């Protein structure tokens, strides 16, 4: 099996972080990987806010721990906020589709690139869907009307154990014609 498939097998949602900061250079590599992600019409409808300041990280963690979930975020050492930007589609596509039609999928590709780049560097990640968006806008000086693509917690895993992935069988999710 190729190194890529091994990387995919190793990548998991980290829910227990070690007390060790994530190096700035490694966070930059994660963003570089996201920058290289594919996007519809090469529109690249994303921007990123990297939170690494030890004074702000705990506040972002608190914003992620809403509704009594995500308590494990208290240990994260960095966060990346993925924001949706205006997509400029080619004219032929723009005639048929709204400019943001592909943005969510494009941001998903960027998020996957971030998590794989983090894993390759030994950094654990967890993509979060529940968080206090208003509080994040306040904390990080993000315009209140900005659309969020996601929030990613990062840090070195406190455990080396890779959990068995619970995935649907291939034959349940694919049809070849």
């Amino acid at each position: 099996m190729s190194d890529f498939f091994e990387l995919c097998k190793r990548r998991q949602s980290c829910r227990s972080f070690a007390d060790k900061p994530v190096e700035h250079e490694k966070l930059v590599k994660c963003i570089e990987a996201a920058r290289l992600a594919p996007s519809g019409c090469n529109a690249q409808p994303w921007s990123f806010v990297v939170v690494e300041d030890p004074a702000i990280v705990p506040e972002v963690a608190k914003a992620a721990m809403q509704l009594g979930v995500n308590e494990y975020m208290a240990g994260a050492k960095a966060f990346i906020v993925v924001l949706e930007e205006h997509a400029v589609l080619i004219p032929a596509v723009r005639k048929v589709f709204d400019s943001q039609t592909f943005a969510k999928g494009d941001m998903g590709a960027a998020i996957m690139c971030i998590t794989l780049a983090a894993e390759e560097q030994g950094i654990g990640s967890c993509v979060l869907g529940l968080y206090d968006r208003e509080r994040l806008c306040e904390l990080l000086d993000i315009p209140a009307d900005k659309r969020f693509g996601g929030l990613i917690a990062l840090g070195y895993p406190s455990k080396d154990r890779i959990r068995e992935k619970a995935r649907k069988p291939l034959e349940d999710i694919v049809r070849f014609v």
Side-chain angles (χ1 to χ4, degrees):
M1 195 168 288
S2 76
D3 289 342
F4 177 75
F5 281 98
E6 288 302 319
L7 181 65
C8 289
K9 281 183 170 182
R10 281 195 333 262
R11 193 228 49 87
Q12 60 187 354
S13 295
C14 184
R15 292 184 173 88
S16 180
F17 298 100
D19 190 19
K20 176 183 176 184
V22 178
E23 299 85 344
H24 175 79
E25 307 76 46
K26 291 186 177 184
L27 294 169
V28 170
K29 282 186 177 181
C30 289
I31 298 302
E32 179 65 18
R35 191 180 73 81
L36 297 171
S39 63
C41 296
N42 196 29
Q44 304 168 54
W46 50 61
S47 66
F48 308 93
V49 178
V50 180
V51 183
E52 60 183 334
D53 182 332
I56 300 174
V57 167
E59 295 303 313
V60 172
K62 285 180 193 171
M65 294 186 284
Q66 70 165 12
L67 304 174
V69 297
N70 300 333
E71 288 87 8
Y72 47 87
M73 287 304 104
K77 298 302 175 200
F79 288 91
I80 297 174
V81 180
V82 182
L83 300 172
E84 181 177 334
E85 299 299 338
H86 179 73
V88 179
L89 305 178
I90 61 173
V93 175
R94 221 177 21 235
K95 286 180 185 177
V96 181
F97 295 103
D98 174 82
S99 67
Q100 299 310 103
T101 297
F102 307 111
K104 289 199 184 321
D106 295 345
M107 288 186 295
I111 289 168
M112 192 69 220
C113 287
I114 289 169
T115 63
L116 289 172
E119 181 61 38
E120 183 189 36
Q121 299 178 89
I123 300 166
S125 65
C126 188
V127 180
L128 303 165
L130 291 174
Y131 44 84
D132 184 338
R133 194 188 149 297
E134 288 177 14
R135 180 67 180 130
L136 290 176
C137 287
E138 233 175 72
L139 276 170
L140 305 173
D141 196 26
I142 297 170
D145 62 345
K146 181 63 78 176
R147 289 184 182 175
F148 279 54
L151 176 65
I152 306 164
L154 299 157
Y156 286 96
S158 64
K159 301 171 185 157
D160 289 333
R161 185 177 74 83
I162 296 177
R163 298 181 304 273
E164 185 69 30
K165 289 190 184 293
R167 298 293 189 261
K168 294 177 182 178
L170 190 63
E171 58 273 6
D172 288 358
I173 62 166
V174 67
R175 184 170 66 94
F176 295 96
V177 292

